[in-house]
Amino acid sequence: CAMPWTCPVCASKISERRRHEVAKAIKQAEALGLQVFLVTLTIPHGIGDDVAALLDKMTKAWTRLWQGKAGMQLRNALGLFGHIRALEVTHGQNGFHPHFHALMFFHPQQTTLAGWGSLGPRWQKVCVRSGLPMPDLQHGIKIDGGNKAANYVAKGVWGLESEVTKGHVKSGKNGSRTPFDLLRDFHHGDKAAGALWRVYVDAFAGRRQLHWSVGLKKLLTIAELSDEEIANKP
């Protein structure tokens, strides 16, 4: 069915292919002298929030992050060559928690500490402009780079490439649950989890799970394959 948000079978097959693509991209980037940071961006949320509306506004905020003169200045300050962005969600005591994981490919000689320091305030600004509550800098943005990023890559099976492609097999933390946790709990008789699953499906079905910035696949020699093509491969 090629529906990675909702089908456990297709989610496994598609994400495994995407994992290999991202792993190859990281190796290709290193060969070109680029480095990779993992950036996590979140927003304030609560019980009863319209998760579909949050997703629409988050997508607008992400687009605004890189638009205009300020967006160009940010890209230049980061020495950014491109990014791979993954959309992910968990559910916990404060309701649905949608967030972005993004692999940022940059040249170390073209980046500045001030540039990375400006990413958080810029995220705050575009969130407010998009109709979202302002994230605080402690929880709204996390940048994993340097040795920590290298350690992610060294893990192989669960490296940076898995962080942005394996949301369906993760388990929630601190009492939160992933969508497939909800589905498993419903299978074991939790009707409330089933209702939450339906809300999740209505909000996420048809949305893009993994997004590559324009030109990055060509730069890193990654083939263009749709979810449908991957799902229908033998």
Side-chain angles (χ1 to χ4, degrees):
C1 66
M3 298 174 66
W5 290 114
T6 56
C7 173
V9 176
C10 289
S12 179
K13 187 172 184 180
I14 292 169
S15 69
E16 183 61 14
R17 169 69 192 201
R18 299 303 186 203
R19 184 184 71 82
H20 283 288
E21 290 177 349
V22 176
K24 180 182 177 183
I26 292 173
K27 288 183 178 180
Q28 294 286 83
E30 290 174 347
L32 293 174
L34 303 180
Q35 293 184 3
V36 186
F37 279 1
L38 173 65
V39 175
T40 303
L41 298 170
T42 64
I43 58 168
H45 58 92
I47 291 287
D49 284 348
D50 184 338
V51 65
L54 287 181
L55 292 174
D56 289 341
K57 293 174 182 178
M58 283 181 65
T59 302
K60 288 180 181 178
W62 174 269
T63 300
R64 284 185 167 130
L65 190 62
W66 311 110
Q67 279 184 336
K69 183 178 179 180
M72 183 177 296
Q73 289 174 339
L74 178 60
R75 290 196 301 272
N76 291 337
L78 298 179
L80 197 63
F81 276 63
H83 60 259
I84 305 172
R85 186 203 72 203
L87 174 61
E88 194 173 308
V89 67
T90 56
H91 186 275
Q93 61 181 0
N94 293 317
F96 281 101
H97 171 48
H99 50 282
F100 292 133
H101 287 301
L103 295 177
M104 303 291 195
F105 294 77
F106 66 96
H107 198 289
Q109 294 181 352
Q110 298 176 22
T111 194
T112 66
L113 289 176
W116 290 102
S118 68
L119 184 56
R122 174 73 177 158
W123 175 242
Q124 289 179 314
K125 185 174 181 179
V126 296
C127 281
V128 172
R129 285 186 59 197
S130 302
L132 292 164
M134 180 183 288
D136 65 61
L137 294 180
Q138 182 179 358
H139 301 101
I141 181 168
K142 181 181 179 185
I143 301 173
D144 289 317
N147 292 334
K148 190 164 185 178
N151 289 337
Y152 272 120
V153 177
K155 290 180 182 178
V157 173
W158 200 264
L160 277 174
E161 70 278 4
S162 295
E163 185 69 19
V164 295
T165 60
K166 290 290 188 178
H168 73 291
V169 297
K170 292 180 182 179
S171 294
K173 298 177 181 178
N174 302 320
S176 67
R177 292 182 287 180
T178 68
F180 283 92
D181 284 335
L182 295 175
L183 191 59
R184 281 186 285 267
D185 288 347
F186 172 71
H187 179 70
H188 290 100
D190 186 342
K191 292 184 178 180
L196 291 170
W197 168 264
R198 291 297 301 270
V199 173
Y200 156 76
V201 171
D202 289 343
F204 280 80
R207 294 184 187 268
R208 202 166 181 179
Q209 196 171 52
L210 202 66
H211 172 266
W212 294 60
S213 60
V214 176
L216 186 61
K217 281 190 175 182
K218 183 177 180 179
L219 174 68
L220 302 177
T221 63
I222 305 298
E224 289 281 356
L225 283 176
S226 67
D227 288 348
E228 290 77 11
E229 289 172 317
I230 295 170
N232 289 305
K233 273 182 172 288

